[in-house]
Amino acid sequence: MKNRTVYITAIGTGAVVLTAAVCVVGGFLSGSVDAAEMPARPSSLALPTGPALLTASAGPIDLELTVDGPRVVTQVHDDGELQTVGGDRLHAGLAADRVLTSGSVSGGEAEDTDHAYGMLVGQAGADVTAVTVDADGQRTAAVLRDGQWAAVWTVRHVDDLPTDATVRYTTRDGAEHRVSTTAVDDVRPSDG
C-alpha cells in the first residue's frame, strides 16, 4: 500500500468513522490520517463481508453501500483506495412514500490527489422510485436499490460543502416530493 495522507471533513450531525478507527458524531471534524499507520480494519466498525448493494461514482470517487445484518456500511474509495468507512442502522417501518438520510452532507479530500467530494446517503420507502440531491449548487442523481440510496459528487474544496441539502424524490404514483435534509435526518439530536 502506498503512503497516503487523507483529509476527512464531517459536517453536520452525521456519523463518520475514519479508517484509523476514529468515530465522530456531530459537529465538525477535520484531521489527517497517515495510511501507512492505519490498521487493516477499523476497530470500531468492521468492514462488511458481503458484496456491495450499490455503488455511486463521481470521477475517481466510488461510494459503496453494503447491507450487513442490521446495519448499512458506507465505504468511500478514491482511485480504488479505501478512504473512509461509516455506518448506520437499518430502519424498520419506514413509510412507503418517505426517505431518510443518514446524517447530513459530508465529504472528504485526499491531499495527494486533490480529489474532493460531497456525499449523502439514506433509505427510501418501497414506493420511492428515484432520488436526487441538490447541494453545493449541483443536482446529483442518487443510485437507488432495495430501499437504500447514495449520491456522491465532486467539489472544488471540501471546506465549502453545505451542511444542508434538498432531497427530491419521486414515488410510484408519479408524485414528486422535496424535503430538506434537516427534516429527514435520521441521526439528528432529539428536541427533548
Side-chain angles (χ1 to χ4, degrees):
M1 172 197 279
K2 70 181 180 179
N3 194 9
R4 193 173 181 139
T5 302
V6 180
Y7 291 90
I8 305 300
T9 303
I11 304 170
T13 59
V16 173
V17 179
L18 305 181
T19 51
V22 174
C23 184
V24 174
V25 178
F28 179 83
L29 166 76
S30 181
S32 63
V33 177
D34 188 339
E37 298 172 5
M38 291 189 291
R41 290 181 174 219
S43 61
S44 60
L45 181 67
L47 294 177
T49 56
L53 173 66
L54 63 86
T55 301
S57 299
I61 305 299
D62 294 317
L63 188 156
E64 293 181 355
L65 256 64
T66 304
V67 175
D68 191 29
R71 65 189 181 134
V72 179
V73 179
T74 304
Q75 298 179 61
V76 178
H77 300 264
D78 179 0
D79 282 334
E81 291 195 34
L82 181 64
Q83 300 295 309
T84 66
V85 178
D88 194 9
R89 67 188 187 290
L90 280 174
H91 299 279
L94 180 61
D97 64 344
R98 298 286 186 241
V99 296
L100 287 177
T101 63
S102 296
S104 58
V105 174
S106 62
E109 185 170 348
E111 181 182 62
D112 59 339
T113 64
D114 290 327
H115 297 153
Y117 63 92
M119 62 179 250
L120 189 63
V121 298
Q123 297 181 37
D127 288 347
V128 176
T129 59
V131 177
T132 59
V133 175
D134 293 344
D136 197 38
Q138 300 182 63
R139 179 169 291 167
T140 304
V143 176
L144 170 65
R145 181 173 294 146
D146 294 341
Q148 305 298 315
W149 59 268
V152 61
W153 58 96
T154 57
V155 297
R156 295 187 123 197
H157 303 286
V158 73
D159 295 337
D160 298 332
L161 280 171
T163 57
D164 195 18
T166 299
V167 178
R168 297 172 185 266
Y169 65 100
T170 305
T171 48
R172 194 175 318 278
D173 61 5
E176 295 184 5
H177 309 267
R178 178 181 165 168
V179 294
S180 165
T181 53
T182 57
V184 293
D185 180 354
D186 148 67
V187 294
R188 71 180 182 273
S190 66
D191 293 330

